[in-house]
C-alpha cells in the first residue's frame, strides 16, 4: 500500500514509526514530515499541504491508497472531504465531523442534546458582553472560559474569581487575543478530578479503544504554570480501570458516535476523548478529531499488530477490530522543549546525544530541522523521548526516559521531571 501521512510533529513521527512496521506498506510519504519521519519514508517538502489540488495530484501521481491526516487544521479545513470526493481513502473525519474539535459550541451542544456527560456550560457571542458579565456575576468559581474555535491548545482560561473572569472576557472579546477563534466563548463549570485521554479508532459505527493515556498539559512540575500542547504522557493510565473504560465506552463513545451519525456528521478517524474522572464519573473536557500529541508517542509504542491495517479498515468503513492488540507493557514519553515555550523561544541549536540509546528508547522528533547533516531545534516541543517497559512497569519506563534524556543536549533544553509521577504515587 502506498500511504501519504500529513503533518510534521512528534505525533506524525510516531504514526510513521508504527505504519512503517506494517507488512502491507509499500511506499510511505510524509507531507511535510520532519527529520525523524525522513528515516521512515520520503518527506515531501515541495507541496503546500493547504493546496488541496496539489495534494490530490500528488496522490494520483504516486498511486496513494490511504491518506492519513494527523493535525486538526487540515481536517477542519475539509481536506478529507476533498480527497474522498476524488475517490481517495482517508483516515480522518470530514469537515462537518471535525467540528467536534473545530467549534467547542458545536461539541457542547451535541453533548447537551444527547446527554453525554460534560461540564455545565453557557455560550456567548462577542456582541453579548453584558449578558456574559451578568452570567459571571452569579457564577461559581473557579470557572473556565474557552474560545469556541481552534487556538492551538491555548484557548482555555481558568478563572479563580469574578475579577479574573471579567479580565478574561475583556481579553477575548475586546483585545481579541484569540482572534476569530474567540468570536464565541463557552463559560463552563470547573471539573474536579484527574484527567485521562482515550483514543477511539472508528469507521463511524464500530470502534476500538487504544490503551488509555495521561497527558501533562502544564509547563511546570506538579502541574504549575501555563498550559502547553502537552509536556509528556504515559500509557496505559492505571487510573482508567476496566470499569471506567467500560463506562466511557457506554456513556461517552457509543452515544457520541451515534449522535454524530444522526446529525449527518459520521465520524471516521480517531476520536480523542479528553476526560475528567470526577466523583460523578467520567466527563468530557474536550473532544479532538485526531490523535493527541504527545499521548500518541506513548500509546503507539505499546500496541502490537498491524496499525496500518487498522487505519485502512476504518477508512473503508469495515473496521478490523483485531488488527492491533495490547498485551501488556507501559511507555513514558517526556517532551524535551525549548526554554521559553509556550511563549517565545530561540531556535537553531544543535541537538546531540540521540544516537546509541538503549533499545527500549524511541526518540520521536517534533520541532527539529536538519541543516548540513545536523539536527537542530526548530520549535517549542523539540523531542518526545519515549521509553518502553515490556513488563508494564511504569517506574522502569520512567527511569529509562530520564536516563535517555540525560544523554541528550541542546542549548536551552527544558523538560518536566515528574512525568508519570501521578500514576506512580497511586501505585
Ligand atoms: P482543553 O483545551 O479544553 O482540553 O482544556 C485545556 C486544559 O484546561 C484541560 O486539559 C484541563 O486541564 C483544563 N480544563 C479545561 N476545561 C476544564 C474544566 N471544565 N474543568 C477543569 N479543568 C478544565
Ligand atoms: N495532548 C493534547 C492534545 O493533543 O490536544
Amino acid at each position: 500500500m502506498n500511504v501519504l501521512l500529513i503533518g510534521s510533529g512528534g505525533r506524525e513521527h510516531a504514526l510513521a514509526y508504527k505504519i512503517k512496521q506494517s507488512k502491507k506498506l509499500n511506499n510511505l510519504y510524509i507531507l511535510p514530515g520532519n527529520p525523524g519521519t525522513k528515516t521512515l519514508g520520503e518527506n515531501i517538502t515541495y507541496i503546500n499541504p493547504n493546496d488541496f489540488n496539489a495534494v490530490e495530484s500528488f496522490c494520483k501521481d504516486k498511486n496513494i491508497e490511504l491518506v492519513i491526516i494527523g493535525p486538526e487544521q487540515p481536517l477542519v479545513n475539509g481536506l478529507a472531504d476533498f480527497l474522498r470526493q476524488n475517490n481517495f481513502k482517508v483516515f480522518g473525519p470530514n469537515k462537518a465531523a471535525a467540528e467536534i474539535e473545530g467549534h467547542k459550541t458545536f461539541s457542547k451542544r451535541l453533548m447537551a442534546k444527547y446527554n453525554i456527560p460534560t461540564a455545565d456550560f453557557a455560550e456567548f457571542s462577542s456582541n453579548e458582553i453584558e449578558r456574559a458579565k451578568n452570567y459571571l456575576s452569579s457564577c461559581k468559581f473557579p470557572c473556565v472560559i474557552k474560545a469556541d474555535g481552534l487556538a492551538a491548545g491555548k484557548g482555555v482560561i481558568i478563572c479563580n474569581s469574578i475579577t479574573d473572569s471579567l479580565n478574561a472576557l475583556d481579553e477575548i472579546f475586546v483585545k481579541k487575543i484569540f482572534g476569530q477563534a474567540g468570536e464565541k466563548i463557552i463559560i463552563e463549570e470547573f471539573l474536579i478530578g484527574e484527567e485521562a485521554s482515550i483514543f477511539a479508532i472508528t469507521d463511524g459505527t464500530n470502534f476500538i479503544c487504544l490503551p488509555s493515556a495521561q497527558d501533562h498539559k502544564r509547563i511546570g512540575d506538579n502541574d504549575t504554570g501555563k498550559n502547553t500542547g502537552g509536556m509528556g504522557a504515559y500509557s496505559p493510565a492505571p487510573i482508567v480501570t476496566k470499569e471506567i473504560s467500560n463506562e466511557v465506552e457506554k456513556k461517552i463513545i457509543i452515544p457520541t458516535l451515534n449522535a454524530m451519525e444522526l446529525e449527518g456528521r459520521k465520524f471516521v478517524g480517531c476520536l480523542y476523548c479528553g476526560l475528567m474522572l470526577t466523583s460523578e464519573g467520567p466527563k468530557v473536557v474536550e473532544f479532538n478529531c485526531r490523535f493527541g500529541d504527545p499521548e500518541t508517542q506513548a500509546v503507539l509504542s505499546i500496541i502490537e499488530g498491524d496499525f496500518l491495517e487498522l487505519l485502512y479498515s476504518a477508512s473503508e468503513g469495515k473496521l478490523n477490530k483485531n488488527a492491533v492488540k495490547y498485551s501488556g507493557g507501559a511507555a513514558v514519553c517526556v517532551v524535551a522543549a525549548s526554554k521559553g515555550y509556550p511563549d517565545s523561544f530561540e531556535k537553531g541549536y544543535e541537538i546531540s546525544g540521540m544516537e546509541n540509546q538503549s533499545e527500549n528508547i524511541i526518540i520521536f522528533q517534533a520541532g527539529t530541522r536538519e541543516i548540513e547533516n545536523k539536527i537542530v531545534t526548530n520549535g517549542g516541543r523539540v523531542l518526545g523521548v519515549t521509553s518502553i517497559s515490556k513488563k508494564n512497569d511504569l517506574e522502569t519506563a520512567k527511569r529509562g526516559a530520564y536516563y535517555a534524556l540525560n544523554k541528550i543536549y541542546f542549548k536551552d533544553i527544558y523538560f518536566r521531571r515528574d512525568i508519570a509521577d501521578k500514576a506512580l504515587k497511586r501505585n
Side-chain angles (χ1 to χ4, degrees), residues 3 13 30 99-100 122 124 151 187 216 249 259 312 384 394 427:
V3 176
H13 189 179
I30 310 97
E99 268 205 52
I100 203 160
F124 303 89
I187 302 180
H216 295 67
E249 291 189 9
Y312 185 74
L394 260 183
N427 290 347

Side-chain angles (χ1 to χ4, degrees), residues 103-155:
H103 287 286
K104 285 198 175 8
T105 47
F106 167 73
S107 71
K108 293 297 284 190
R109 283 185 212 158
L110 185 89
M111 288 187 268
K113 180 168 169 189
Y114 292 91
N115 281 318
I116 296 157
T118 188
D120 288 339
F121 73 103
E123 63 176 81
F124 303 89
S125 301
S126 59
N127 59 7
E128 297 177 301
I129 296 193
E130 287 312 312
R131 192 169 74 84
K133 283 184 183 164
N134 275 338
Y135 180 85
L136 287 169
S137 66
S138 58
C139 211
K140 269 202 227 139
F141 290 95
C143 77
V144 185
I145 303 189
K146 298 185 175 182
D148 173 48
L150 293 182
K154 292 180 187 161

